[in-house]
Amino acid sequence: MKLLEIKNLYVTIDTLDGPLQIIKGIDFSIEKGERLGIVGESGCGKSITSLAIMALLPHKSKVTGQILLNGEDINLFNEEQMCRIRGNKIGMIFQEPMTALNPVKTIGAQIAESLILHRNMKKRQRIYEVEQLLESVDLPVERFGLNLYPHQLSGGQRQRVMIAMAIACKPDILIADEPTTALDVTVQKQILELIKELAMKFGMSLIMISHDLGVIAQTTQKVMIMYAGEVMEQGETSKVFKHMSHPYTQGLFAAIPKPGSSRLEGKKRLSTIPGSVPDPTSTLQGCIFEPRCRFSDDICLKSEPEKSDISPGHHVRCFHPVVKD
Amino acid sequence: MKIFLFKRLITMIITLLVASSVVFFVLEILPGDPAAVMLGINAEADTLAALRAELGLDKPIAVRYLGWLGDLVQGDLGISYTYDVPVSELIMERVILSFPLAVLSMILSTLIAIPLGIIAASNHSKPMDFLVMIFSQLGIAIPNFWFALLLIIFFSVFMGVLPAGGFAGWEAGMIPALSSLLLPTIALALPQAAILTRVTRSSLLEVLKEDYIRTAQAKGSSLRRTLWRHALRNAMIPVVTIMGLQFSFLLAGTIIIENVFYLPGIGRLIFQAIAQRDLIVVKNLVILLAASVIVINFIVDMLYAVIDPRLRGTQNV
């Protein structure tokens, strides 16, 4: 049995102009200890997917499909049952360390919170546990006391506190939603390493959400490329990166600046994907990526591509997958 | 924290000095000679001059300002022109009524407003929220003197359980004194509570949108627990601000309610003193009220620092 299995997940948000489909039937799964990456542009639904798993979407949204955690469909759980899953079975690291911590509570109290909620511990034991957690995210207790407030810490330090909070109960799954986007480049790598290390050390599965292919390559074993609420390509990270088959994946990769390709040195411009993400209110026929695709033809306009295998454990949704050699 | 306190104290003293000079000089340039008011329009020129000398009105303005400040610090507020009793006595008589009345109204309004605000915010856009908002609208819309009259009609005339007006005085004992303050307290607290309910609700709703609320929920904290443990304290800053303003108002701005209930409060005293050009009473009362507003603001600032550690001026690691 898979640890987490998402089957046919749809997310619809009610707006004034009627319901809006944000996630259009995605499937993926993750085994115990496995690390999965979700990549895509802003607005492709990667954060929505993680919030749907946590049942933390705004009340106006509807989630259909199955979210099986150890075989149990947590999408059917009520709020009270979900409270026992959140922080306990699934921990989450958010993007903005500056605003994701409560400014009026000490970091000690905020880390201790999930322990209070999910573990029956005496106060002394809890303090010991929180100190251990701070040590494990490289915030030595001698310098970073439990009584510090978030505003006394830097962005990177706050993100470490955030990580300590998320792993406090050693959840089965750790979701990291763009954990380094708001951070200084110099700290990004450290934070990524830390998350990966902790996931391996405690045997936690990791879902890493990012728009940065480099981050995904560094931390994950499996990857899922999302576009406008649909999965374009998914498979083992090494295979996908070696044989990028969807034109969108290729476009994403080509848009990464490489050393020595700057215009100052007389080389070509940084490549971009023309156009922008379709407005979710528009009802496109055919392949969702068609308007921005350089390989599009009649069939792409008329019908939607099904999943097709490139190699075992690597599939793509495209009529014209790019095949190398 | 100590540096923060010290800084605030210095600002407070400077504000008091500025306020005192404004009060003094504004009253100075007002037309109307207290001596002429006391002696009437038919007074002889030399009698006037003699009275002016007696009251010290003939000395240079700077000397009088400094003299007044000196007396003020020593607690000597002079003698009222019209009542012919020490101003400090006059004010004290009123303070023992107005201050407890303000405190009681504030307590009552807080006890109504904060729970209602929480109920409204946690049931946002549901019937309970609308109900609370209707109460709040009514509380703001109903003039409090009219509400006071309704209270008198019901509790004093119809039920006959509470006095319709007047103040029994503290020497008559706690129960008679408090029961004569009960209706005015309710009348004053209602509009305050209505406003405070709105502020609490909207401030909470604002805070509930913050990222750290979602973080708390992601840790498994229920919505209710999150509201109490995470949102409430963060939502308190605007609430405390409004409470400070309301308390300042309650100290002296309650003249209408004082008149409805025949209460000898500060509001009435200041009104009468102005009407009778009893400038020495006006001047000292106004500066004392200004001082109390400044002190209230100081307390509000202290409360900010208690609520939000970011305002304590602590050092980074």
Side-chain angles (χ1 to χ4, degrees):
Chain A
M1 186 170 48
K2 300 263 196 322
L3 176 60
L4 179 74
E5 196 167 5
I6 311 289
K7 283 183 183 167
N8 212 17
L9 183 77
Y10 282 84
V11 176
T12 319
I13 295 187
D14 270 333
T15 67
L16 292 174
D17 309 320
L20 210 64
Q21 216 165 60
I22 309 263
I23 303 289
K24 297 157 192 159
I26 65 173
D27 305 274
F28 66 91
S29 65
I30 184 163
E31 311 265 3
K32 189 168 167 41
E34 205 173 31
R35 297 188 300 279
L36 167 79
I38 306 181
V39 199
E41 279 171 276
S42 311
C44 73
K46 41 192 204 301
S47 294
I48 299 284
T49 307
S50 64
L51 290 174
I53 296 170
M54 295 289 272
L56 281 178
L57 286 169
H59 295 297
K60 283 170 285 185
S61 43
K62 215 177 95 194
V63 180
T64 58
Q66 287 183 306
I67 303 171
L68 302 169
L69 180 69
N70 288 317
E72 237 184 326
D73 189 354
I74 59 172
N75 194 24
L76 302 173
F77 277 19
N78 61 26
E79 179 61 20
E80 201 187 315
Q81 290 171 304
M82 260 335 273
C83 279
R84 286 198 288 269
I85 300 286
R86 296 184 199 126
N88 188 19
K89 301 281 177 209
I90 312 176
M92 188 150 178
I93 300 167
F94 291 98
Q95 178 176 354
E96 276 290 342
M98 304 316 249
T99 54
L101 294 177
N102 190 334
V104 306
K105 293 189 139 226
T106 63
I107 57 171
Q110 295 192 58
I111 298 172
E113 190 165 14
S114 11
L115 295 173
I116 294 171
L117 287 163
H118 306 295
R119 298 282 181 271
N120 194 5
M121 276 185 191
K122 292 222 167 63
K123 195 175 177 195
R124 185 179 294 174
Q125 194 190 350
R126 202 159 59 219
I127 291 173
Y128 173 77
E129 194 69 24
V130 173
E131 285 173 350
Q132 291 300 305
L133 283 163
L134 277 177
E135 294 282 348
S136 69
V137 294
D138 301 328
L139 295 176
V141 185
E142 307 85 64
R143 222 180 118 217
F144 301 92
L146 304 188
N147 291 325
L148 287 178
Y149 287 97
H151 73 276
Q152 293 169 292
L153 304 175
S154 70
Q157 290 162 350
R158 287 186 215 192
Q159 197 59 304
R160 287 171 192 273
V161 171
M162 185 83 218
I163 295 169
M165 273 164 47
I167 64 165
C169 291
K170 311 290 177 301
D172 297 336
I173 302 166
L174 183 62
I175 303 177
D177 186 1
E178 305 239 12
T180 56
T181 308
L183 297 179
D184 229 308
V185 190
T186 47
V187 256
Q188 285 187 1
K189 203 173 145 61
Q190 299 167 13
I191 296 287
L192 283 180
E193 283 301 319
L194 179 68
I195 293 175
K196 187 177 163 186
E197 245 175 61
L198 290 169
M200 286 162 75
K201 183 170 157 195
F202 296 118
M204 295 180 287
S205 305
L206 177 68
I207 299 179
M208 175 67 76
I209 296 169
S210 182
H211 59 257
D212 186 335
L213 288 169
V215 168
I216 299 298
Q218 251 182 66
T219 46
T220 64
Q221 298 155 322
K222 279 203 310 195
V223 66
M224 183 165 107
I225 315 280
M226 281 184 75
Y227 180 77
E230 288 179 28
V231 177
M232 298 285 105
E233 185 167 359
Q234 81 194 106
E236 284 168 37
T237 310
S238 56
K239 285 186 186 167
V240 173
F241 276 65
K242 215 171 180 179
H243 297 286
M244 278 173 278
S245 311
H246 199 284
Y248 179 61
T249 318
Q250 284 210 319
L252 277 182
F253 192 79
I256 301 173
K258 288 161 204 72
S261 67
S262 87
R263 288 183 68 201
L264 281 176
E265 289 161 39
K267 303 274 168 61
K268 61 174 189 201
R269 264 170 181 263
L270 184 61
S271 136
T272 57
I273 304 175
S276 57
V277 185
D279 181 355
T281 50
S282 68
T283 43
L284 275 169
Q285 261 214 330
C287 173
I288 191 115
F289 187 61
E290 183 277 327
R292 301 175 71 185
C293 186
R294 53 201 170 104
F295 302 115
S296 83
D297 58 17
D298 283 352
I299 182 163
C300 304
L301 269 171
K302 279 182 204 129
S303 49
E304 241 181 294
E306 289 296 314
K307 242 191 244 173
S308 58
D309 281 358
I310 297 293
S311 62
H314 176 194
H315 36 250
V316 67
R317 272 175 89 164
C318 182
F319 290 115
H320 310 292
V322 190
V323 189
K324 268 193 199 160
D325 27 287
Chain B
M1 191 70 186
K2 270 186 191 147
I3 299 168
F4 174 73
L5 249 167
F6 184 71
K7 271 189 193 161
R8 289 295 310 159
L9 272 172
I10 297 287
T11 348
M12 196 164 95
I13 291 165
I14 294 171
T15 325
L16 272 171
L17 277 175
V18 173
S20 70
S21 59
V22 169
V23 169
F24 185 86
F25 291 107
V26 164
L27 287 178
E28 206 54 45
I29 55 171
L30 273 185
D33 178 358
V37 174
M38 288 167 81
L39 293 175
I41 40 168
N42 295 323
E44 298 290 331
D46 48 341
T47 355
L48 263 177
L51 184 62
R52 291 175 61 85
E54 195 195 316
L55 293 173
L57 295 173
D58 55 345
K59 290 186 195 130
I61 188 163
V63 174
R64 281 190 287 130
Y65 172 63
L66 290 177
W68 174 57
L69 272 192
D71 289 345
L72 204 58
V73 175
Q74 291 167 40
D76 175 9
L77 308 183
I79 310 283
S80 158
Y81 303 150
T82 49
Y83 295 89
D84 211 22
V85 290
V87 176
S88 51
E89 244 174 61
L90 212 53
I91 294 178
M92 212 48 212
E93 270 171 24
R94 307 300 180 109
V95 167
I96 57 165
L97 170 86
S98 284
F99 187 72
L101 183 59
V103 171
L104 287 173
S105 313
M106 204 70 240
I107 293 174
L108 181 61
S109 122
T110 312
L111 287 180
I112 298 171
I114 302 221
L116 279 186
I118 293 172
I119 290 171
S122 51
N123 294 291
H124 184 41
S125 298
K126 290 186 196 145
M128 205 55 200
D129 185 19
F130 287 113
L131 215 67
V132 171
M133 281 295 95
I134 289 170
F135 154 80
S136 159
Q137 283 292 4
L138 277 177
I140 295 169
I142 294 176
N144 62 0
F145 61 87
W146 184 72
F147 180 62
L149 292 174
L150 287 186
L151 287 174
I152 293 174
I153 291 171
F154 188 74
F155 287 102
S156 310
V157 181
F158 184 65
M159 307 256 300
V161 286
L162 289 169
F167 179 54
W170 294 104
E171 58 282 354
M174 278 307 260
I175 300 198
L178 284 178
S179 62
S180 51
L181 287 184
L182 189 56
L183 291 186
T185 299
I186 298 172
L188 285 172
L190 179 85
Q192 312 278 3
I195 293 167
L196 209 56
T197 304
R198 296 205 131 219
V199 175
T200 307
R201 171 184 177 271
S202 61
S203 174
L204 259 177
L205 286 178
E206 207 48 53
V207 168
L208 285 172
K209 285 183 212 150
E210 294 283 347
D211 284 352
Y212 54 80
I213 297 300
R214 197 182 53 189
T215 309
Q217 287 182 283
K219 284 189 274 186
S221 177
S222 66
L223 194 62
R224 189 196 175 88
R225 188 182 179 280
T226 308
L227 192 133
W228 283 95
R229 301 284 180 93
H230 288 270
L232 197 56
R233 188 158 157 197
N234 277 292
M236 275 301 115
I237 292 231
V239 177
V240 168
T241 310
I242 299 296
M243 281 170 68
L245 293 174
Q246 291 189 334
F247 192 73
S248 305
F249 165 79
L250 283 172
L251 279 180
T254 58
I255 182 167
I256 296 175
I257 290 296
E258 284 173 24
N259 273 332
V260 172
F261 289 101
Y262 297 108
L263 294 176
I266 298 244
R268 269 184 121 185
L269 178 64
I270 205 163
F271 176 74
Q272 286 163 349
I274 291 170
Q276 292 161 347
R277 291 215 180 278
D278 197 341
L279 288 190
I280 193 152
V281 174
V282 175
K283 190 164 68 179
N284 287 307
L285 247 183
V286 170
I287 189 64
L288 286 179
L289 287 172
S292 57
V293 170
I294 290 167
V295 171
I296 290 165
N297 283 344
F298 175 71
I299 295 171
V300 167
D301 276 351
M302 291 292 112
L303 285 176
Y304 286 168
V306 170
I307 294 167
D308 192 337
R310 284 171 295 185
L311 303 171
R312 285 174 212 162
T314 37
Q315 291 302 301
N316 283 11
V317 181

